[in-house]
Amino acid sequence: MTQAEDQELQRLQVNIRRLAGIVAEQNEKLAQLRMLLQQRDEALHAMQEELKSVRRHEATLATASALVSTDMGDASRRDARELLDGIISQLDRCISQLTSEPEATAASEPEI
């Protein structure tokens, strides 16, 4: 091997080591970014759930205020009662499903 070929080989080896180092750094950064993204997704999900809860609470307060208000019209009171009746109906359905769920699960399990 000539001296020029030897120098070229050494230069290529150095460049390969540098490239491998860069790839390793980028992989590490990518892993960190994935972890950060997962953390932010979890935080966003928690904030969305909290927002839903706050909105439900505000709607309940508005409905309750409308129901006890003395200066509201019959139409507003009727709308508030309809909203409240809908919420109660949904709760009744949920309770029914939850109480019938263990029976459905037990019925689907094979007997031994």
Side-chain angles (χ1 to χ4, degrees):
M1 183 181 289
T2 66
Q3 185 176 358
E5 290 173 335
D6 189 42
Q7 288 176 344
E8 181 66 19
L9 180 60
Q10 288 177 1
R11 188 182 64 78
L12 287 173
Q13 289 174 340
V14 167
N15 287 339
I16 289 172
R17 281 193 295 274
R18 286 181 185 164
L19 185 57
I22 291 170
V23 168
E25 288 175 12
Q26 293 302 313
N27 284 337
E28 185 178 322
K29 287 180 184 178
L30 185 58
Q32 290 172 350
L33 288 173
R34 284 183 177 146
M35 184 178 290
L36 180 62
L37 179 60
Q38 180 181 356
Q39 291 170 349
R40 289 191 178 173
D41 280 346
E42 290 170 0
L44 177 61
H45 180 70
M47 285 187 272
Q48 288 172 333
E49 291 301 315
E50 186 177 342
L51 179 60
K52 286 179 189 176
S53 176
V54 168
R55 285 182 176 165
R56 281 191 301 265
H57 182 70
E58 287 176 351
T60 303
L61 286 177
T63 301
S65 296
L67 287 172
V68 298
S69 176
T70 58
D71 63 339
M72 65 183 277
D74 288 337
S76 296
R77 183 166 289 169
R78 185 181 65 245
D79 290 345
R81 286 185 193 276
E82 286 177 7
L83 177 62
L84 196 52
D85 287 343
I87 292 171
I88 291 170
S89 176
Q90 288 177 352
L91 283 172
D92 285 342
R93 280 193 300 260
C94 288
I95 290 170
S96 291
Q97 285 179 335
L98 288 174
T99 55
S100 67
E101 221 172 66
E103 296 167 6
T105 304
S108 67
E109 292 178 2
E111 291 184 25
I112 300 176

